[in-house]
mmCIF file with all atom_site columns, all heavy atoms in Angstrom:
data_model
loop_
_atom_site.group_PDB
_atom_site.id
_atom_site.type_symbol
_atom_site.label_atom_id
_atom_site.label_alt_id
_atom_site.label_comp_id
_atom_site.label_asym_id
_atom_site.label_entity_id
_atom_site.label_seq_id
_atom_site.pdbx_PDB_ins_code
_atom_site.Cartn_x
_atom_site.Cartn_y
_atom_site.Cartn_z
_atom_site.occupancy
_atom_site.B_iso_or_equiv
_atom_site.pdbx_formal_charge
_atom_site.auth_seq_id
_atom_site.auth_comp_id
_atom_site.auth_asym_id
_atom_site.auth_atom_id
_atom_site.pdbx_PDB_model_num
ATOM 1   N N   . LEU A 1 35 ? -11.726 -29.831 2.799  1.00 74.00 ? 35 LEU A N   1
ATOM 2   C CA  . LEU A 1 35 ? -10.293 -30.037 2.864  1.00 74.00 ? 35 LEU A CA  1
ATOM 3   C C   . LEU A 1 35 ? -9.667  -29.896 1.480  1.00 74.00 ? 35 LEU A C   1
ATOM 4   O O   . LEU A 1 35 ? -10.362 -29.818 0.458  1.00 74.00 ? 35 LEU A O   1
ATOM 5   C CB  . LEU A 1 35 ? -9.969  -31.421 3.454  1.00 74.00 ? 35 LEU A CB  1
ATOM 6   C CG  . LEU A 1 35 ? -10.389 -31.609 4.922  1.00 74.00 ? 35 LEU A CG  1
ATOM 7   C CD1 . LEU A 1 35 ? -11.760 -32.243 4.996  1.00 74.00 ? 35 LEU A CD1 1
ATOM 8   C CD2 . LEU A 1 35 ? -9.370  -32.456 5.666  1.00 74.00 ? 35 LEU A CD2 1
ATOM 9   N N   . ALA A 1 58 ? -3.475  -30.903 12.680 1.00 86.00 ? 58 ALA A N   1
ATOM 10  C CA  . ALA A 1 58 ? -2.976  -32.187 13.189 1.00 86.00 ? 58 ALA A CA  1
ATOM 11  C C   . ALA A 1 58 ? -3.452  -33.366 12.359 1.00 86.00 ? 58 ALA A C   1
ATOM 12  O O   . ALA A 1 58 ? -3.393  -34.518 12.814 1.00 86.00 ? 58 ALA A O   1
ATOM 13  C CB  . ALA A 1 58 ? -3.389  -32.366 14.647 1.00 86.00 ? 58 ALA A CB  1
ATOM 14  N N   . ILE A 1 59 ? -3.959  -33.102 11.146 1.00 88.00 ? 59 ILE A N   1
ATOM 15  C CA  . ILE A 1 59 ? -4.508  -34.189 10.332 1.00 88.00 ? 59 ILE A CA  1
ATOM 16  C C   . ILE A 1 59 ? -3.445  -35.226 10.016 1.00 88.00 ? 59 ILE A C   1
ATOM 17  O O   . ILE A 1 59 ? -3.659  -36.443 10.156 1.00 88.00 ? 59 ILE A O   1
ATOM 18  C CB  . ILE A 1 59 ? -5.112  -33.634 9.027  1.00 88.00 ? 59 ILE A CB  1
ATOM 19  C CG1 . ILE A 1 59 ? -6.327  -32.750 9.328  1.00 88.00 ? 59 ILE A CG1 1
ATOM 20  C CG2 . ILE A 1 59 ? -5.507  -34.769 8.088  1.00 88.00 ? 59 ILE A CG2 1
ATOM 21  C CD1 . ILE A 1 59 ? -6.921  -32.084 8.121  1.00 88.00 ? 59 ILE A CD1 1
ATOM 22  N N   . GLU A 1 60 ? -2.262  -34.761 9.606  1.00 87.00 ? 60 GLU A N   1
ATOM 23  C CA  . GLU A 1 60 ? -1.222  -35.707 9.192  1.00 87.00 ? 60 GLU A CA  1
ATOM 24  C C   . GLU A 1 60 ? -0.749  -36.573 10.352 1.00 87.00 ? 60 GLU A C   1
ATOM 25  O O   . GLU A 1 60 ? -0.483  -37.772 10.174 1.00 87.00 ? 60 GLU A O   1
ATOM 26  C CB  . GLU A 1 60 ? -0.044  -34.926 8.598  1.00 87.00 ? 60 GLU A CB  1
ATOM 27  C CG  . GLU A 1 60 ? 1.039   -35.832 8.021  1.00 87.00 ? 60 GLU A CG  1
ATOM 28  C CD  . GLU A 1 60 ? 2.143   -35.056 7.334  1.00 87.00 ? 60 GLU A CD  1
ATOM 29  O OE1 . GLU A 1 60 ? 1.981   -33.821 7.124  1.00 87.00 ? 60 GLU A OE1 1
ATOM 30  O OE2 . GLU A 1 60 ? 3.172   -35.674 7.011  1.00 87.00 ? 60 GLU A OE2 1
ATOM 31  N N   . SER A 1 61 ? -0.659  -36.011 11.552 1.00 89.00 ? 61 SER A N   1
ATOM 32  C CA  . SER A 1 61 ? -0.119  -36.766 12.694 1.00 89.00 ? 61 SER A CA  1
ATOM 33  C C   . SER A 1 61 ? -1.182  -37.564 13.447 1.00 89.00 ? 61 SER A C   1
ATOM 34  O O   . SER A 1 61 ? -0.878  -38.606 14.024 1.00 89.00 ? 61 SER A O   1
ATOM 35  C CB  . SER A 1 61 ? 0.601   -35.821 13.669 1.00 89.00 ? 61 SER A CB  1
ATOM 36  O OG  . SER A 1 61 ? -0.295  -34.819 14.145 1.00 89.00 ? 61 SER A OG  1
ATOM 37  N N   . HIS A 1 62 ? -2.445  -37.092 13.472 1.00 89.00 ? 62 HIS A N   1
ATOM 38  C CA  . HIS A 1 62 ? -3.460  -37.736 14.289 1.00 89.00 ? 62 HIS A CA  1
ATOM 39  C C   . HIS A 1 62 ? -4.695  -38.199 13.502 1.00 89.00 ? 62 HIS A C   1
ATOM 40  O O   . HIS A 1 62 ? -5.552  -38.886 14.069 1.00 89.00 ? 62 HIS A O   1
ATOM 41  C CB  . HIS A 1 62 ? -3.932  -36.792 15.408 1.00 89.00 ? 62 HIS A CB  1
ATOM 42  C CG  . HIS A 1 62 ? -2.889  -36.494 16.433 1.00 89.00 ? 62 HIS A CG  1
ATOM 43  N ND1 . HIS A 1 62 ? -1.894  -35.581 16.228 1.00 89.00 ? 62 HIS A ND1 1
ATOM 44  C CD2 . HIS A 1 62 ? -2.676  -37.019 17.668 1.00 89.00 ? 62 HIS A CD2 1
ATOM 45  C CE1 . HIS A 1 62 ? -1.110  -35.516 17.303 1.00 89.00 ? 62 HIS A CE1 1
ATOM 46  N NE2 . HIS A 1 62 ? -1.565  -36.401 18.202 1.00 89.00 ? 62 HIS A NE2 1
ATOM 47  N N   . GLY A 1 63 ? -4.798  -37.808 12.261 1.00 90.00 ? 63 GLY A N   1
ATOM 48  C CA  . GLY A 1 63 ? -5.981  -38.149 11.490 1.00 90.00 ? 63 GLY A CA  1
ATOM 49  C C   . GLY A 1 63 ? -5.967  -39.592 11.014 1.00 90.00 ? 63 GLY A C   1
ATOM 50  O O   . GLY A 1 63 ? -4.906  -40.203 10.852 1.00 90.00 ? 63 GLY A O   1
ATOM 51  N N   . CYS A 1 64 ? -7.147  -40.150 10.764 1.00 91.00 ? 64 CYS A N   1
ATOM 52  C CA  . CYS A 1 64 ? -7.247  -41.497 10.215 1.00 91.00 ? 64 CYS A CA  1
ATOM 53  C C   . CYS A 1 64 ? -6.862  -41.485 8.741  1.00 91.00 ? 64 CYS A C   1
ATOM 54  O O   . CYS A 1 64 ? -6.822  -40.425 8.116  1.00 91.00 ? 64 CYS A O   1
ATOM 55  C CB  . CYS A 1 64 ? -8.662  -42.041 10.407 1.00 91.00 ? 64 CYS A CB  1
ATOM 56  S SG  . CYS A 1 64 ? -9.898  -41.201 9.386  1.00 91.00 ? 64 CYS A SG  1
ATOM 57  N N   . PRO A 1 65 ? -6.577  -42.646 8.141  1.00 91.00 ? 65 PRO A N   1
ATOM 58  C CA  . PRO A 1 65 ? -6.188  -42.682 6.721  1.00 91.00 ? 65 PRO A CA  1
ATOM 59  C C   . PRO A 1 65 ? -7.217  -42.028 5.801  1.00 91.00 ? 65 PRO A C   1
ATOM 60  O O   . PRO A 1 65 ? -6.858  -41.397 4.806  1.00 91.00 ? 65 PRO A O   1
ATOM 61  C CB  . PRO A 1 65 ? -6.045  -44.183 6.441  1.00 91.00 ? 65 PRO A CB  1
ATOM 62  C CG  . PRO A 1 65 ? -5.703  -44.778 7.757  1.00 91.00 ? 65 PRO A CG  1
ATOM 63  C CD  . PRO A 1 65 ? -6.473  -43.984 8.775  1.00 91.00 ? 65 PRO A CD  1
ATOM 64  N N   . PHE A 1 66 ? -8.495  -42.159 6.124  1.00 89.00 ? 66 PHE A N   1
ATOM 65  C CA  . PHE A 1 66 ? -9.550  -41.554 5.304  1.00 89.00 ? 66 PHE A CA  1
ATOM 66  C C   . PHE A 1 66 ? -9.425  -40.036 5.314  1.00 89.00 ? 66 PHE A C   1
ATOM 67  O O   . PHE A 1 66 ? -9.515  -39.369 4.274  1.00 89.00 ? 66 PHE A O   1
ATOM 68  C CB  . PHE A 1 66 ? -10.916 -42.002 5.835  1.00 89.00 ? 66 PHE A CB  1
ATOM 69  C CG  . PHE A 1 66 ? -12.085 -41.349 5.151  1.00 89.00 ? 66 PHE A CG  1
ATOM 70  C CD1 . PHE A 1 66 ? -12.424 -41.684 3.849  1.00 89.00 ? 66 PHE A CD1 1
ATOM 71  C CD2 . PHE A 1 66 ? -12.845 -40.395 5.820  1.00 89.00 ? 66 PHE A CD2 1
ATOM 72  C CE1 . PHE A 1 66 ? -13.516 -41.094 3.220  1.00 89.00 ? 66 PHE A CE1 1
ATOM 73  C CE2 . PHE A 1 66 ? -13.929 -39.795 5.186  1.00 89.00 ? 66 PHE A CE2 1
ATOM 74  C CZ  . PHE A 1 66 ? -14.268 -40.146 3.887  1.00 89.00 ? 66 PHE A CZ  1
ATOM 75  N N   . LEU A 1 67 ? -9.195  -39.444 6.501  1.00 89.00 ? 67 LEU A N   1
ATOM 76  C CA  . LEU A 1 67 ? -9.091  -37.994 6.625  1.00 89.00 ? 67 LEU A CA  1
ATOM 77  C C   . LEU A 1 67 ? -7.798  -37.481 5.989  1.00 89.00 ? 67 LEU A C   1
ATOM 78  O O   . LEU A 1 67 ? -7.782  -36.431 5.351  1.00 89.00 ? 67 LEU A O   1
ATOM 79  C CB  . LEU A 1 67 ? -9.155  -37.594 8.102  1.00 89.00 ? 67 LEU A CB  1
ATOM 80  C CG  . LEU A 1 67 ? -9.411  -36.104 8.405  1.00 89.00 ? 67 LEU A CG  1
ATOM 81  C CD1 . LEU A 1 67 ? -10.752 -35.668 7.834  1.00 89.00 ? 67 LEU A CD1 1
ATOM 82  C CD2 . LEU A 1 67 ? -9.356  -35.842 9.902  1.00 89.00 ? 67 LEU A CD2 1
ATOM 83  N N   . VAL A 1 68 ? -6.715  -38.247 6.159  1.00 89.00 ? 68 VAL A N   1
ATOM 84  C CA  . VAL A 1 68 ? -5.433  -37.856 5.539  1.00 89.00 ? 68 VAL A CA  1
ATOM 85  C C   . VAL A 1 68 ? -5.568  -37.818 4.021  1.00 89.00 ? 68 VAL A C   1
ATOM 86  O O   . VAL A 1 68 ? -5.090  -36.904 3.351  1.00 89.00 ? 68 VAL A O   1
ATOM 87  C CB  . VAL A 1 68 ? -4.314  -38.824 5.972  1.00 89.00 ? 68 VAL A CB  1
ATOM 88  C CG1 . VAL A 1 68 ? -3.039  -38.569 5.162  1.00 89.00 ? 68 VAL A CG1 1
ATOM 89  C CG2 . VAL A 1 68 ? -4.019  -38.668 7.461  1.00 89.00 ? 68 VAL A CG2 1
ATOM 90  N N   . ALA A 1 69 ? -6.237  -38.843 3.461  1.00 89.00 ? 69 ALA A N   1
ATOM 91  C CA  . ALA A 1 69 ? -6.440  -38.879 2.014  1.00 89.00 ? 69 ALA A CA  1
ATOM 92  C C   . ALA A 1 69 ? -7.245  -37.671 1.549  1.00 89.00 ? 69 ALA A C   1
ATOM 93  O O   . ALA A 1 69 ? -6.928  -37.044 0.533  1.00 89.00 ? 69 ALA A O   1
ATOM 94  C CB  . ALA A 1 69 ? -7.134  -40.182 1.624  1.00 89.00 ? 69 ALA A CB  1
ATOM 95  N N   . ALA A 1 70 ? -8.295  -37.325 2.302  1.00 86.00 ? 70 ALA A N   1
ATOM 96  C CA  . ALA A 1 70 ? -9.119  -36.167 1.937  1.00 86.00 ? 70 ALA A CA  1
ATOM 97  C C   . ALA A 1 70 ? -8.312  -34.880 1.968  1.00 86.00 ? 70 ALA A C   1
ATOM 98  O O   . ALA A 1 70 ? -8.453  -34.003 1.109  1.00 86.00 ? 70 ALA A O   1
ATOM 99  C CB  . ALA A 1 70 ? -10.325 -36.066 2.872  1.00 86.00 ? 70 ALA A CB  1
ATOM 100 N N   . ALA A 1 71 ? -7.422  -34.735 2.988  1.00 85.00 ? 71 ALA A N   1
ATOM 101 C CA  . ALA A 1 71 ? -6.593  -33.538 3.092  1.00 85.00 ? 71 ALA A CA  1
ATOM 102 C C   . ALA A 1 71 ? -5.609  -33.447 1.940  1.00 85.00 ? 71 ALA A C   1
ATOM 103 O O   . ALA A 1 71 ? -5.179  -32.351 1.557  1.00 85.00 ? 71 ALA A O   1
ATOM 104 C CB  . ALA A 1 71 ? -5.848  -33.530 4.421  1.00 85.00 ? 71 ALA A CB  1
ATOM 105 N N   . GLU A 1 72 ? -5.252  -34.606 1.369  1.00 84.00 ? 72 GLU A N   1
ATOM 106 C CA  . GLU A 1 72 ? -4.342  -34.628 0.221  1.00 84.00 ? 72 GLU A CA  1
ATOM 107 C C   . GLU A 1 72 ? -5.078  -34.496 -1.102 1.00 84.00 ? 72 GLU A C   1
ATOM 108 O O   . GLU A 1 72 ? -4.471  -34.540 -2.167 1.00 84.00 ? 72 GLU A O   1
ATOM 109 C CB  . GLU A 1 72 ? -3.534  -35.928 0.239  1.00 84.00 ? 72 GLU A CB  1
ATOM 110 C CG  . GLU A 1 72 ? -2.573  -36.020 1.417  1.00 84.00 ? 72 GLU A CG  1
ATOM 111 C CD  . GLU A 1 72 ? -1.881  -37.363 1.486  1.00 84.00 ? 72 GLU A CD  1
ATOM 112 O OE1 . GLU A 1 72 ? -2.286  -38.282 0.713  1.00 84.00 ? 72 GLU A OE1 1
ATOM 113 O OE2 . GLU A 1 72 ? -0.934  -37.513 2.285  1.00 84.00 ? 72 GLU A OE2 1
ATOM 114 N N   . GLY A 1 73 ? -6.411  -34.345 -1.038 1.00 83.00 ? 73 GLY A N   1
ATOM 115 C CA  . GLY A 1 73 ? -7.190  -34.152 -2.248 1.00 83.00 ? 73 GLY A CA  1
ATOM 116 C C   . GLY A 1 73 ? -7.696  -35.422 -2.871 1.00 83.00 ? 73 GLY A C   1
ATOM 117 O O   . GLY A 1 73 ? -8.133  -35.423 -4.022 1.00 83.00 ? 73 GLY A O   1
ATOM 118 N N   . ARG A 1 74 ? -7.679  -36.527 -2.104 1.00 86.00 ? 74 ARG A N   1
ATOM 119 C CA  . ARG A 1 74 ? -8.137  -37.808 -2.636 1.00 86.00 ? 74 ARG A CA  1
ATOM 120 C C   . ARG A 1 74 ? -9.361  -38.302 -1.871 1.00 86.00 ? 74 ARG A C   1
ATOM 121 O O   . ARG A 1 74 ? -9.498  -38.040 -0.684 1.00 86.00 ? 74 ARG A O   1
ATOM 122 C CB  . ARG A 1 74 ? -7.024  -38.861 -2.522 1.00 86.00 ? 74 ARG A CB  1
ATOM 123 C CG  . ARG A 1 74 ? -5.788  -38.556 -3.324 1.00 86.00 ? 74 ARG A CG  1
ATOM 124 C CD  . ARG A 1 74 ? -4.711  -39.625 -3.159 1.00 86.00 ? 74 ARG A CD  1
ATOM 125 N NE  . ARG A 1 74 ? -4.119  -39.603 -1.817 1.00 86.00 ? 74 ARG A NE  1
ATOM 126 C CZ  . ARG A 1 74 ? -4.303  -40.536 -0.905 1.00 86.00 ? 74 ARG A CZ  1
ATOM 127 N NH1 . ARG A 1 74 ? -5.103  -41.587 -1.165 1.00 86.00 ? 74 ARG A NH1 1
ATOM 128 N NH2 . ARG A 1 74 ? -3.716  -40.451 0.282  1.00 86.00 ? 74 ARG A NH2 1
#
Side-chain angles (χ1 to χ4, degrees):
L35 295 94
I59 295 176
E60 185 175 350
S61 59
H62 293 79
C64 69
F66 175 72
L67 195 61
V68 171
E72 293 175 351
R74 297 179 290 110

